[in-house]
Amino acid sequence: MNDNPNTNPERVSKIISFRKKNPSADALAKGVLQGDKTALARAITLIESTNPKHSIQADFVIEKCLSVKTDSIRIGITGVPGVGKSTFIETFGKTLTRLGKKVAVLTIDPTSALSKGSILGDKTRMQELVKDPNAFIRPSPSGKSLGGVARKSRETVMLCEAAGYNVILIETVGVGQSEVVVHSMVDFFLLLKLAGAGDELQGIKRGIMEMADAIVINKADGDNKKRANLAKAEFTRALHLYPPKVNNWTPKVLSCSALEETGIHEVWELINKYITINIDNGYLDAQRQKQNKYWVLQTIEDQLTQNFYNNKEVKRQLDLLLKQVEQRKISPFKAAEALLGKYRDNIAKTKS
Amino acid sequence: MNDNPNTNPERVSKIISFRKKNPSADALAKGVLQGDKTALARAITLIESTNPKHSIQADFVIEKCLSVKTDSIRIGITGVPGVGKSTFIETFGKTLTRLGKKVAVLTIDPTSALSKGSILGDKTRMQELVKDPNAFIRPSPSGKSLGGVARKSRETVMLCEAAGYNVILIETVGVGQSEVVVHSMVDFFLLLKLAGAGDELQGIKRGIMEMADAIVINKADGDNKKRANLAKAEFTRALHLYPPKVNNWTPKVLSCSALEETGIHEVWELINKYITINIDNGYLDAQRQKQNKYWVLQTIEDQLTQNFYNNKEVKRQLDLLLKQVEQRKISPFKAAEALLGKYRDNIAKTKS
C-alpha cells in the first residue's frame, strides 16, 4: 500500500482537485481531517480572508475540526533577527520528522504586513523542510492588529492539529508584543540566543527571558564554541536567581549548532521531558484551559476597546483631552470619564 | 517667625479646626496647598470615600491642586514580606527628612481590604517616622478592584505633592499585580531583597526583577554581611545579562542594613544620580507624560470591561460559554463573539 501522500495516486488526484475548483467547506473540512496539505492550506486561506463569505466557510471548517483531540505539542520559538531561527527550525524540524513526527511551522510576525517583516514570509528560508512530506510551513498571516493576527494563528494551530500535525512550531521575533501572544498559545517557550556577552542582547525585549522555559545558545560551533559554553554557564547562573515558575520548572540552558546539527536532539529531549512531567502533573492541560479562557476574555476586551477607539466622537476628542492632561488642566481619571461620557452619548444618539 | 507647622499657634488652631467641623472643599484645598497635614488627610479620606457627595468635593480639591508643578520624586519600593520594608522605609525616610526633604509614605496593598493585608495598615510599623513633622504616612486605600485602589493612590500622590512633599515613597508587596500598578506611577522602582540564594525568592513574582531600577540587598549586617556581598555580586552579574532599559540605565545593586543604618545614604545617592541624569536627558518628564496617558487609557479600558462583566446577561452566560470552550464545543473566538452579541442585545433592550 502506498501511504506517501505525495505519490499515492488517489491522494494526488485529490490534491489536484483542491487546487482546481472552489471546494465546499464540507469537502475542505474532510480534506483537513484526512491530513491533506492543500486542503489545509486552503482552509487557512479562508481563515485569513477578510471576505465575510469566507469567514462563514472558515467557521464551518473550524467547527468540524474543533472536537478532534490530539496529543500535539505546541512550541514557541523566539530570538532576535540574526540568531539563526530559520536554520534552527529547519534542522530541528528535520530531526523531528525523522523521528516520525508531523511538524507544522507557523510564523507570527505582525510587522510583516507593513515592512515585509523581520521574518521573511517566503518558504526559501527552509529549503529542505519545505520539501519534507511530513512538514507544513505557513508564513505569518497579515493583519493590521496583533489581536487579529493572533486569532488567525490560533485557529491555524487548531486546523494543523486536526490535520495530524503533532508538533507545532510557532516562530516569532523577540520584539514588540508578538512574543507575548505566542507565549499565550504554546506549551513550551524557547528563546534562541547567541554567545558573546552584552551586545547581542540589545534587540531583545525586556521580559522575554522570564517567559522562556529554555534558552538555547545557537551557533555553538567553530571558534564560537568556547564562548557559547561560557554564555551557557552564565545564563544558567542567572536563571537560578529568578523565582521558579508556577509548575516548579527551572528554565534550562542548552547550546547547539543548527548548522553542524549538534545539540539539536538534546533540545528535543529537554522539551519531551518537560512535556512528560507536565502531562503527568496535570499542568499542561490546566495551562491550555487557562489559555483558552485567556483568549475568550482577551478577544472580548480587544473588541470593546476597539469599538471605543473607533468611535467618531472619541476620535475627535481623544487627542484634545490627552493634551489637557499633559498641560495639567485635567486629571487622567477625569479625562477618562469625559471620554467615556462622550462615547455613551454618541452611542445613544446613533441608536435613537 | 515660627515656621514649624506643629508649634506655630495659627497653624495649630487651623489643624484643630480641620479636625472639628466638616470643612468646605475650598478650605480643604487651601489647607492642602498650605501643607497642612490634617487637611491633607481629610482630603485623602474624601478621595477614598464611596459617597458620591464626597467624590464631588474630592474632585474639587484635586482640580485646585492639579496645576501645582513640583520637583517631587516618586519612588516605588517592593519586596516580599520579611525583607524589612518597614524598617528600610523608616530609616530611609528619616535620612531624607534630615536632608530637609518632606517625605510622604503611601502603601498600595490591594489585599488589605480582605485580609487586613500583607502590609500592616496601621502606623505602628514606623514609630519614629510617624512622629517626624516632615513625614506623612498613609496606609493603603481599601477597594475591591486594583484599578480603584490605584486611582485613589495616584490622586493621593498628587495631593501630597501639592502639599509640599517632595519625596513620595510608594510601598507595595511583590505579589499579584500591585507592583505593576506602582511601577506605572513612579520615577524610580526599587526592589528590596535578602541575601541567601534561592529560597528567599520564592515569594516574589516573575517579572519584577526586570522592572527594578535598583536592587537593594537588605539586612547586610552581622553574620549576614558576607552573604549580602556575594548576593550583590551575583545580582550585578545577572542584571548585566538583561537588555538595557530604554533610557540606557543598567539597574544597580546595592546592599544596606536598615537596622544598623548603613548603606542607606548610598541608596539615596544612587536615586539622586538617576533622577539628575534622567531630568537632563528629558526621560523623566517623558515617562510621566507616558504614565499619564497610560492612566487615561487604562481607566477607560477598565471601565469598558467592568461594564461588560457586570452586565446581567453576560454574567448569566459567561460560565456556560467558558464550559463549552473547555469541552471543545465552541472556539474561544466564537464564544467571545457570542458574549459580545448578547451584551449588545441586552444594552439595546435596556435602552429602548
Side-chain angles (χ1 to χ4, degrees):
Chain A
M1 194 183 139
N2 182 348
D3 266 345
N4 185 329
N6 285 333
T7 53
N8 176 317
E10 199 192 332
R11 296 297 293 276
V12 170
S13 81
K14 205 178 279 165
I15 289 170
I16 292 168
S17 77
F18 277 124
R19 286 217 175 109
K20 266 193 178 155
K21 55 169 183 165
N22 271 327
S24 71
D26 193 50
L28 268 186
K30 277 187 187 135
V32 170
L33 289 167
Q34 282 164 8
D36 184 288
K37 270 192 198 183
T38 311
L40 177 59
R42 287 201 85 136
I44 296 171
T45 302
L46 286 182
I47 287 175
E48 294 176 354
S49 168
T50 51
N51 180 332
K53 228 173 76 188
H54 292 166
S55 298
I56 295 168
Q57 292 177 304
D59 284 348
F60 179 87
V61 178
I62 290 166
E63 207 182 297
K64 288 277 171 196
C65 294
L66 196 61
S67 57
V68 181
K69 215 170 171 188
T70 76
D71 59 350
S72 76
I73 300 172
R74 302 170 188 163
I75 303 168
I77 298 174
T78 193
V80 292
V83 77
K85 280 193 296 299
S86 309
T87 319
F88 176 81
I89 291 172
E90 165 117 323
T91 311
F92 189 55
K94 282 190 301 176
T95 304
L96 295 177
T97 57
R98 261 184 242 126
L99 291 170
K101 302 283 175 191
K102 284 189 76 180
V103 179
V105 180
L106 312 175
T107 300
I108 294 190
D109 181 7
T111 63
S112 65
L114 298 166
S115 58
K116 289 275 165 203
S118 317
I119 299 176
L120 292 169
D122 60 358
K123 294 177 180 181
T124 55
R125 297 184 304 135
M126 303 166 193
Q127 297 198 353
E128 291 185 50
L129 199 59
V130 79
K131 287 180 250 161
D132 193 321
N134 287 316
F136 176 81
I137 301 179
R138 181 86 182 189
S140 182
S142 62
K144 272 178 284 180
S145 77
L146 182 56
V149 171
R151 171 182 178 154
K152 291 169 191 171
S153 299
R154 239 187 92 94
E155 292 179 335
T156 298
V157 168
M158 213 264 304
L159 288 198
C160 290
E161 290 173 343
Y165 291 88
N166 46 13
V167 181
I168 317 291
L169 305 179
I170 309 178
E171 177 189 8
T172 190
V173 281
V175 291
Q177 286 295 309
S178 56
E179 69 290 336
V180 177
V181 162
V182 171
H183 183 250
S184 69
M185 57 172 83
V186 296
D187 304 318
F188 191 93
F189 196 66
L190 192 153
L191 172 59
L192 278 182
K193 279 192 164 286
L194 291 178
D199 288 352
E200 88 280 1
L201 294 157
Q202 298 280 351
I204 207 119
K205 241 196 74 193
R206 296 178 68 82
I208 294 190
M209 245 169 76
E210 303 224 358
M211 296 196 303
D213 296 303
I215 293 177
V216 176
I217 320 273
N218 194 18
K219 303 192 186 176
D221 39 41
D223 293 347
N224 225 11
K225 221 163 175 175
K226 206 174 150 188
R227 272 199 295 164
N229 279 331
L230 269 172
K232 190 178 152 184
E234 207 167 9
F235 278 113
T236 303
R237 220 166 31 223
L239 287 176
H240 272 284
L241 294 175
Y242 283 109
K245 297 204 156 194
V246 269
N247 58 348
N248 268 321
W249 174 259
T250 305
K252 303 291 181 296
V253 187
L254 296 173
S255 63
C256 78
S257 164
L259 202 71
E260 297 184 350
E261 306 201 10
T262 53
I264 302 290
H265 262 286
E266 286 76 0
V267 175
W268 175 240
E269 273 164 25
L270 179 71
I271 295 176
N272 238 334
K273 189 180 149 196
Y274 177 91
I275 299 292
T276 309
I277 293 172
N278 288 292
I279 285 176
D280 289 350
N281 66 18
Y283 177 78
L284 215 64
D285 198 45
Q287 182 176 255
R288 284 210 181 171
Q289 291 304 347
K290 213 173 131 189
Q291 288 175 341
N292 276 340
K293 191 176 169 184
Y294 167 85
W295 282 102
V296 175
L297 305 185
Q298 192 58 41
T299 306
I300 287 169
E301 287 162 28
D302 283 353
Q303 194 60 54
L304 290 172
T305 50
Q306 208 175 307
N307 292 347
F308 179 84
Y309 291 116
N310 284 339
N311 180 275
K312 224 175 64 188
E313 191 60 23
V314 169
K315 273 188 176 164
R316 239 169 47 81
Q317 301 273 352
L318 182 63
D319 284 341
L320 189 77
L321 277 155
L322 286 176
K323 195 87 205 153
Q324 290 183 349
V325 170
E326 203 178 313
Q327 294 164 340
R328 306 176 72 90
K329 285 182 182 159
I330 185 171
S331 84
F333 302 101
K334 277 284 138 191
E337 273 171 20
L339 281 165
L340 284 164
K342 300 218 178 285
Y343 179 56
R344 253 189 317 268
D345 293 350
N346 186 267
I347 287 179
K349 215 172 66 189
T350 319
K351 286 251 163 67
S352 63
Chain B
M1 196 182 137
N2 182 347
D3 267 345
N4 184 327
N6 285 334
T7 53
N8 175 316
E10 199 193 331
R11 296 297 294 277
V12 170
S13 80
K14 205 179 278 164
I15 290 171
I16 292 168
S17 77
F18 277 125
R19 288 220 172 109
K20 265 194 179 155
K21 54 167 184 165
N22 272 327
S24 72
D26 192 50
L28 268 186
K30 278 188 186 135
V32 170
L33 289 166
Q34 283 164 7
D36 184 287
K37 269 192 199 182
T38 312
L40 178 59
R42 287 200 83 136
I44 296 171
T45 303
L46 286 182
I47 287 175
E48 295 177 353
S49 168
T50 51
N51 180 332
K53 228 173 75 188
H54 292 166
S55 298
I56 295 168
Q57 292 176 304
D59 284 348
F60 179 87
V61 178
I62 290 166
E63 206 181 298
K64 288 276 171 196
C65 294
L66 195 61
S67 57
V68 182
K69 214 167 174 195
T70 76
D71 59 350
S72 75
I73 300 172
R74 303 170 187 164
I75 304 168
I77 298 174
T78 192
V80 292
V83 78
K85 280 194 296 299
S86 308
T87 319
F88 177 82
I89 291 172
E90 166 117 322
T91 311
F92 190 56
K94 282 189 301 177
T95 305
L96 295 176
T97 57
R98 259 183 243 128
L99 291 169
K101 302 283 175 193
K102 284 189 75 181
V103 179
V105 180
L106 311 175
T107 300
I108 294 190
D109 181 7
T111 62
S112 66
L114 298 167
S115 58
K116 289 276 164 203
S118 318
I119 300 175
L120 292 168
D122 60 358
K123 294 176 179 183
T124 55
R125 297 184 304 136
M126 303 166 193
Q127 296 198 353
E128 291 185 50
L129 200 60
V130 78
K131 287 180 250 162
D132 193 322
N134 287 317
F136 176 80
I137 301 179
R138 181 86 182 190
S140 182
S142 61
K144 272 179 284 180
S145 78
L146 181 58
V149 170
R151 171 182 179 154
K152 291 170 190 170
S153 299
R154 240 185 94 93
E155 292 178 335
T156 298
V157 168
M158 214 264 304
L159 289 197
C160 289
E161 290 173 343
Y165 291 89
N166 46 14
V167 181
I168 316 291
L169 306 179
I170 309 179
E171 176 189 10
T172 190
V173 280
V175 291
Q177 285 295 308
S178 57
E179 69 289 336
V180 177
V181 162
V182 171
H183 183 251
S184 68
M185 56 171 82
V186 296
D187 304 317
F188 191 93
F189 196 66
L190 191 153
L191 171 61
L192 279 183
K193 279 192 165 285
L194 291 179
D199 288 353
E200 88 280 4
L201 295 156
Q202 297 280 350
I204 207 119
K205 239 195 76 191
R206 295 178 69 82
I208 294 190
M209 245 169 77
E210 303 223 357
M211 298 196 303
D213 296 304
I215 293 178
V216 176
I217 320 272
N218 194 18
K219 303 193 184 174
D221 39 40
D223 294 346
N224 225 11
K225 222 164 175 174
K226 207 174 151 187
R227 271 199 296 165
N229 279 331
L230 270 172
K232 191 178 152 183
E234 207 168 9
F235 278 113
T236 303
R237 220 167 29 223
L239 287 176
H240 273 283
L241 294 175
Y242 284 110
K245 297 203 156 196
V246 271
N247 57 348
N248 268 320
W249 175 259
T250 306
K252 302 291 182 295
V253 187
L254 296 173
S255 62
C256 78
S257 164
L259 202 70
E260 296 183 352
E261 306 201 10
T262 54
I264 302 290
H265 263 286
E266 286 76 0
V267 175
W268 175 239
E269 274 164 26
L270 178 71
I271 295 175
N272 238 334
K273 189 180 148 196
Y274 177 92
I275 298 292
T276 310
I277 293 172
N278 289 291
I279 284 175
D280 290 350
N281 65 18
Y283 178 77
L284 215 63
D285 199 45
Q287 183 176 253
R288 285 211 182 171
Q289 291 303 348
K290 213 174 129 189
Q291 288 175 340
N292 276 339
K293 191 178 169 184
Y294 167 84
W295 282 102
V296 175
L297 305 186
Q298 192 59 42
T299 306
I300 287 169
E301 286 163 28
D302 283 353
Q303 193 60 55
L304 290 173
T305 49
Q306 208 175 306
N307 291 347
F308 179 84
Y309 291 116
N310 284 338
N311 180 276
K312 225 175 62 188
E313 191 59 23
V314 169
K315 272 187 178 167
R316 238 171 45 83
Q317 302 272 352
L318 182 63
D319 285 341
L320 189 76
L321 277 155
L322 286 176
K323 195 87 205 154
Q324 290 182 349
V325 170
E326 204 179 313
Q327 295 165 340
R328 306 176 74 90
K329 286 182 182 159
I330 185 170
S331 84
F333 302 102
K334 277 285 139 191
E337 273 172 20
L339 281 165
L340 284 162
K342 300 220 178 284
Y343 180 57
R344 255 189 317 268
D345 293 349
N346 186 266
I347 287 179
K349 215 172 66 189
T350 319
K351 286 249 164 69
S352 64

